[in-house]
Amino acid sequence: MTAPATSPHRVPPARVPDARTLWRLRRTIPDIAEQAAAAARGRVLAYEWGEEPGDPDPLYAAIAAALGGFLDPHRDPGEPAPAVLDAFRRLGEAEACAGRSPEDLRAALSAATGVVAGRLAEQALRVGAGVTPRLGGTLVRLGLTCADRVQQAAADGHRSAGARRAGAAGPEHRRLADLVLTPGCDPGGLRDAAARAGWTLPRTVAAIAVDARRRPTAPPRFLPPDVLSGLHRDVPCLVFPDPAGPGRRAVLEAMLGDHPAVVGPPVEVRRAALSLRLARRGLELLPPGVLDGGAPVHVGEHVPTLLLVQDPELTRRLAERRLAPLRRVRPAQRPRMVETLLAYFECGFNGSSTAARLHAHPQTVRNRIRTVEPLFGPDLYDPAHALEYLMALHAWRLLPDVASGGPTTERTT
């Protein structure tokens, strides 16, 4: 006996291509799902699936499941099976745990949906499916309904994981964060506190100092379950596990977004206080131009800058002494000369490389070098003075009062 047309497990034959065509289209599912997942990863930079090559791709698996249900001749294309909805809920939960935001997930699924629609249309034409305009419109409507259902399931999964995370960040987690960031914390006490909070002790962590001065009411938009948060001397801070692991930098950047923050160096858990101290130092000393770059600042990548701004007066005196010959150049020319000299030093006195770095004509660079060489004399090429020149040129860019008026004579004390 034939099932009624209203059965959720069977649709009238007139609404879909014939079963033979559908089975031919099902052969293309792996290829279409792979292309759709790749499009999502290309659209959203936070996506880096798996820690090792060959690890499962949850987005690919969810898309393949949805395509399988849509092309099942025994199901309504607009009604995803419970197993498909579960796959997308698990995808949403996995995204939340990986630190990717709901906006990232929505953008990725939208990109994937567009690829799936285009590739299915191409394949339907290729296999000769008799899709009339009316039938095509029906399939588009059903496809949009299906896409909306699975995206909602993914959003529900993300939201539920976020709610669990919010519930988990109770007193035990706050006490654990305080303990981890305390200098000389007791390893035994740390293990006990981690067990009570349900936190797996990682091999390494990085402490993150969040800049509450520039955006006091905007904490990171989403915290993965393994990230601890706390307040250390009125500075919001985070403890980020396994910062050097595969894909972890992308997770960290997705978590912080464009919120100004400084990431301390990776250390053993018991030395997290050192990582926080260096992160706070970077937050205090690094120039606004570095902190406001739209991405988290890793303090280990700015050590020369920190050394220069550690004692501004000493650095200023070095810049004034080494760049004193530039006082004989017109003030309007000094910034160009400093920029050229810095590139010239960093390119090993190679004029062509300097021109390429500055995006300038080689003859322009040669003319600038010929202008400054007589001013500095042989000291310019003396290896014993190279480090001081490099520090002075960088200081020009870091210390506004040096750059604004150019090098001045040394002050007497």
Side-chain angles (χ1 to χ4, degrees):
M1 183 174 176
T2 305
T6 57
S7 168
H9 301 293
R10 187 174 296 275
V11 286
R15 292 178 59 193
V16 295
D18 61 86
R20 181 179 177 184
T21 300
L22 286 174
W23 286 113
R24 292 176 68 186
L25 287 173
R26 288 174 66 87
R27 298 174 190 163
T28 67
I29 288 176
D31 181 53
I32 294 177
E34 183 177 349
Q35 292 183 38
R41 287 191 292 269
R43 170 82 174 271
V44 183
L45 297 181
Y47 276 65
E48 289 190 10
W49 297 107
E51 296 192 354
E52 298 293 340
D55 278 0
D57 181 340
L59 181 57
Y60 168 86
I63 294 171
L67 277 169
F70 189 75
L71 297 176
D72 186 344
H74 304 297
R75 293 203 61 85
D76 181 345
E79 283 293 329
V84 174
L85 296 177
D86 285 343
F88 277 86
R89 272 190 288 269
R90 290 194 300 272
L91 171 65
E93 293 175 353
E95 293 306 282
C97 292
R100 287 181 277 268
S101 72
E103 292 80 11
D104 289 335
L105 177 59
R106 193 177 305 113
L109 291 178
S110 295
T113 300
V115 172
V116 168
R119 293 290 288 118
L120 266 183
E122 292 173 8
Q123 291 299 322
L125 290 173
R126 191 178 67 80
V127 301
V131 180
T132 64
R134 182 177 179 182
L135 179 55
T138 300
L139 289 175
V140 168
R141 177 176 58 79
L142 293 171
L144 291 175
T145 301
C146 177
D148 183 67
R149 292 288 307 279
V150 298
Q151 290 195 30
Q152 185 59 51
D156 290 344
H158 195 290
R159 190 163 42 249
S160 65
R164 289 197 299 273
R165 162 65 182 169
E172 293 294 344
H173 272 71
R174 288 193 291 273
R175 282 194 288 269
L176 176 60
D178 291 340
L179 182 60
V180 169
L181 296 172
T182 299
C185 63
D186 174 53
L190 180 60
R191 283 193 298 272
D192 292 343
R196 286 194 299 271
W199 192 63
T200 302
L201 277 173
R203 189 175 61 85
T204 60
V205 297
I208 303 171
V210 181
D211 193 348
R213 300 166 299 179
R214 290 173 175 77
R215 206 174 305 168
T217 60
R221 54 186 175 173
F222 183 81
L223 294 182
D226 60 350
V227 175
L228 302 177
S229 62
L231 194 67
H232 189 266
R233 297 179 185 173
D234 297 326
V235 174
C237 51
L238 305 171
V239 178
F240 187 75
D242 191 25
R248 293 294 284 171
R249 183 159 181 153
V251 171
L252 187 150
E253 291 176 356
M255 175 184 76
L256 292 170
D258 61 354
H259 197 109
V262 178
V263 183
V267 294
E268 297 176 0
V269 180
R270 62 185 181 85
R271 304 189 68 201
L274 169 63
S275 183
L276 178 62
R277 180 171 67 82
L278 295 175
R280 284 178 56 101
R281 198 69 175 144
L283 197 61
E284 294 165 2
L285 295 177
L286 288 172
V290 176
L291 294 173
D292 296 335
V297 175
H298 293 259
V299 72
E301 298 171 3
H302 295 271
V303 171
T305 299
L306 284 171
L307 291 176
L308 287 173
V309 298
Q310 184 84 20
D311 191 329
E313 184 60 28
L314 192 60
T315 301
R316 189 177 295 110
R317 287 174 177 269
L318 171 65
E320 291 171 350
R321 179 166 58 87
R322 276 297 165 201
L323 302 183
L326 288 181
R327 289 200 302 272
R328 287 178 275 170
V329 175
R330 291 197 306 272
Q333 290 182 308
R334 290 174 190 167
R336 288 195 300 272
M337 294 303 180
V338 168
E339 181 185 41
T340 302
L341 275 176
L342 179 57
Y344 192 50
F345 268 89
E346 291 182 339
C347 291
F349 305 114
N350 184 296
S352 299
S353 299
T354 302
R357 174 175 292 195
L358 297 175
H359 304 289
H361 193 280
Q363 187 58 47
T364 300
V365 170
R366 285 193 288 270
N367 290 340
R368 292 178 188 174
I369 297 301
R370 290 194 190 106
T371 299
V372 298
E373 278 180 332
L375 303 178
F376 286 89
D379 270 6
L380 193 64
Y381 297 100
D382 188 341
H385 300 146
L387 179 59
E388 288 190 359
Y389 274 120
L390 277 170
M391 294 174 68
L393 291 165
H394 278 287
W396 173 287
R397 302 167 66 183
L398 291 170
L399 302 176
D401 53 345
V402 173
S404 60
T408 60
T409 55
E410 290 190 18
R411 292 184 290 272
T412 57
T413 57

